[in-house]
Amino acid sequence: MDTQAALQAIAEASSLEALQQLKAQYLGKNGLLTGEMKTLGQLAPQERRERGRVLNEIKQRLEQALAERSHTLEAQALEAQLEQESVDVSLPGYAFPSGGTHLISQMQAELLGIFRRMGFSVVEGPEVESEFFNFDALNIPPWHPARDMQDTFWLEGSSEFRIHAPGGQPTRDQGRLLLRTHTSPMQVRYMVEHTPPFKIVVPGRVFRYEQTDASHEAMFYQLEGLVVGEGITMADLKGAITELARGLFGSEARVRFQPTYFPFVEPGAQFGMWWAERERWLELGGSGMVHPNVFRAVDEYREQMGRPRAYETLTGWAFGFGIERLALLRYGIPDIRYFYQQNRLSFLRQFKP
Ligand code: DAH
């Protein structure tokens, strides 16, 4: 066996497979060196010891050479792989499209957060509503001129309306169906089903039969609030609206109330918020003390369902405002139609959280 030739072959092996073959060729079961080892038994003891030492030494050198070459080849292979798979981090990346929360949903979440911190519960009502809850029970009888202020999408058919009360008794309401023109009907629904005291806010979509323009949509969102209990006053209303203003516009914010008329409150007031940063008043919505006729309608309704009257000795306040309007004012958006009608992504993306 030519040791020099073996070492050279190992040092020049060009792949791990070739190296594996060389290893078998010399050190394998039928390998050259193994063969020589097997002849040791035929030698005299003195010679055998000498020859054994030499062969062991050769074996160690071969093994070491194999390990070294294998190491080198592995490192080269890794090097080559890294070279091939390298990434040019200076190339522009791919932008993966991702959705975002609509500005109005963001506003709504922010508003609900402010009211939750004040201990309000959040409830929702149906968008298809009955004439009774949307108008009559809110002190807006059929002949009332206030009906003209809220041009209505009437639906075909009439409701033999049942509210979602335990037991679900039929109601006296056989009125027409409509798309709710405001979130106020949920005041009545909630009071019919719950015993005061309570504090609720009602977010939701409302619908008006409008000619749309920059500030009017046929569908928009409102937030309604209702607080009922013993000894509730307009001061509580002012406190809550002030807290709302501070939540939206910071601790500098102030509120103002101006007398106005809504059939379901007395006295009624529109409220505005002072936006210190911009030094301007934002007229936001309506509010007032719940009209006794509303409480009366609720108690009558409850009586028909076999429930005790619960509201005539109490007081409460309510408010309602449009969420789009708040967003328009706050962000200086020129046209309400950007939100849904045009649904322009270039616009909506600016408000991606
Ligand atoms: N429902 C009224 C509207 O759309 C807003 C409103 C005014 C709600 C006064 C109230 C309130 O609860 O007290 O236009």
Side-chain angles (χ1 to χ4, degrees):
M1 191 199 108
D2 183 342
T3 306
Q4 280 316 314
L7 288 172
Q8 188 165 346
I10 289 170
E12 285 170 3
S14 61
S15 68
L16 287 167
E17 294 79 56
L19 203 62
Q20 197 58 40
Q21 252 168 32
L22 287 167
K23 187 177 179 180
Q25 188 182 334
Y26 291 101
L27 300 174
K29 207 148 65 149
N30 301 312
L32 291 173
L33 188 66
T34 317
E36 302 222 16
M37 295 276 204
K38 281 179 187 158
T39 64
L40 283 176
Q42 302 157 14
L43 300 176
Q46 176 63 30
E47 246 182 307
R48 188 195 306 158
R49 202 175 307 127
E50 183 57 23
R51 182 85 182 127
R53 199 181 53 72
V54 171
L55 288 180
N56 261 326
E57 207 172 285
I58 294 173
K59 187 179 180 202
Q60 271 170 23
R61 285 173 68 189
L62 290 183
E63 276 173 347
Q64 196 188 339
L66 282 164
E68 268 167 20
R69 186 64 187 153
S70 150
H71 200 77
T72 309
L73 286 171
E74 272 168 17
Q76 278 173 2
L78 182 63
E79 193 71 19
Q81 187 187 7
L82 288 175
E83 185 72 26
Q84 205 183 14
E85 294 177 1
S86 71
V87 174
D88 183 350
V89 292
S90 68
L91 284 174
Y94 301 100
F96 291 99
S98 70
T101 313
H102 194 283
L103 175 58
I104 296 305
S105 304
Q106 291 178 48
M107 288 289 324
Q108 184 177 298
E110 182 182 352
L111 292 164
L112 295 183
I114 292 169
F115 281 100
R116 281 206 184 91
R117 286 195 283 283
M118 285 192 263
F120 281 69
S121 308
V122 178
V123 297
E124 288 179 292
E127 290 169 2
V128 172
E129 188 50 281
S130 79
E131 184 176 6
F132 174 74
F133 286 112
N134 196 84
F135 290 128
D136 301 73
L138 288 167
N139 201 28
I140 315 175
W143 46 264
H144 201 288
R147 288 207 176 192
D148 291 341
M149 296 189 326
Q150 301 188 353
D151 286 318
T152 309
F153 286 113
W154 293 98
L155 302 177
E156 277 179 12
S158 69
S159 68
E160 199 167 318
F161 201 77
R162 288 153 204 264
I163 68 163
H164 303 288
Q169 296 95 329
T171 73
R172 76 167 183 197
D173 176 28
Q174 311 270 315
R176 289 181 291 172
L177 285 175
L178 48 77
L179 294 181
R180 66 176 175 192
T181 58
H182 50 177
T183 40
S184 305
M186 193 51 192
Q187 290 188 22
V188 182
R189 284 173 173 276
Y190 193 86
M191 288 194 278
V192 163
E193 294 187 34
H194 296 83
T195 310
F198 56 74
K199 306 194 272 188
I200 58 164
V201 276
V202 188
R205 260 192 289 223
V206 303
F207 305 84
R208 305 241 175 125
Y209 188 28
E210 302 271 11
Q211 199 66 42
T212 61
D213 61 26
S215 53
H216 293 85
E217 265 282 20
M219 184 282 290
F220 57 99
Y221 283 77
Q222 284 191 336
L223 186 70
E224 188 86 14
L226 176 66
V227 171
V228 180
E230 214 169 307
I232 297 289
T233 72
M234 205 123 180
D236 303 309
L237 167 63
K238 192 177 176 197
I241 298 293
T242 303
E243 203 54 32
L244 169 63
R246 288 183 180 154
L248 289 169
F249 297 112
S251 54
E252 300 287 282
R254 283 185 284 136
V255 297
R256 70 176 179 190
F257 290 82
Q258 293 167 300
T260 192
Y261 175 77
F262 293 101
F264 33 92
V265 283
E266 180 59 35
Q270 64 183 63
F271 62 90
M273 296 179 179
W274 176 247
W275 188 4
E277 209 179 311
R278 296 286 167 89
E279 299 200 353
R280 55 181 289 210
W281 286 100
L282 309 182
E283 290 310 327
L284 206 57
S287 64
M289 299 302 290
V290 178
H291 197 290
N293 284 352
V294 176
F295 283 147
R296 202 165 295 132
V298 167
D299 271 339
E300 274 174 24
Y301 198 106
R302 288 172 64 94
E303 226 164 33
Q304 285 175 32
M305 294 171 62
R307 298 183 170 200
R309 299 173 85 90
Y311 287 86
E312 274 169 346
T313 61
L314 302 177
T315 53
W317 52 257
F319 70 81
F321 64 87
I323 298 182
E324 285 80 1
R325 186 176 155 72
L326 173 58
L328 292 180
L329 293 169
R330 193 192 208 185
Y331 298 107
I333 298 163
D335 196 320
I336 195 173
R337 289 168 293 193
Y338 287 179
F339 289 131
Y340 316 111
Q341 256 190 62
Q342 304 184 342
N343 215 9
R344 226 189 265 172
L345 285 179
S346 58
F347 164 74
L348 294 171
R349 282 207 185 102
Q350 296 175 49
F351 299 99
K352 219 171 124 176

